[in-house]
Amino acid sequence: HSNSHFTPLGVLSKFGIFGSVLWFSLFTVLLFRAYKYRKKDAIAMASCLFLISLIVQSFFAYALFVNVFLPVVAGYILSLPFHRKITKY
């Protein structure tokens, strides 16, 4: 069933094995990058906690695809390596 409330199963049923590996790889990269910058940036720390809570919540509710803050947080985390380069000028 494509709308299962257990999001990992929902991702697997919608995208298959290859898509699921890509989807969970994205979350792994986001978590490690937010964790890496957590001491340098308070927003990165909040983003890391947000991702962890969203992943835990996804085991009990269909939360990954309906959360409006996820794209904003993911974009911020992915831009973290460029913050230092931009602020040097």
Side-chain angles (χ1 to χ4, degrees):
H1 199 275
S2 65
N3 271 338
S4 63
H5 289 286
F6 186 64
T7 302
L9 286 178
V11 171
L12 184 63
S13 70
K14 284 185 181 202
F15 303 116
I17 294 172
F18 183 71
S20 296
V21 169
L22 288 176
W23 184 256
F24 294 119
S25 299
L26 172 67
F27 271 94
T28 304
V29 167
L30 289 173
L31 271 174
F32 280 121
R33 188 169 289 175
Y35 186 78
K36 178 181 175 183
Y37 288 96
R38 76 189 189 288
K39 291 185 179 178
K40 298 177 184 176
D41 189 357
I43 299 174
M45 178 63 171
S47 299
C48 185
L49 293 174
F50 170 78
L51 284 175
I52 291 170
S53 67
L54 187 65
I55 290 169
V56 169
Q57 182 188 13
S58 77
F59 286 108
F60 304 103
Y62 194 70
L64 290 179
F65 296 112
V66 297
N67 193 307
V68 296
F69 297 112
L70 180 60
V72 175
V73 170
Y76 180 78
I77 292 170
L78 291 175
S79 71
L80 282 171
F82 303 107
H83 287 196
R84 179 175 275 177
K85 294 175 186 175
I86 292 171
T87 56
K88 283 185 178 179
Y89 298 109

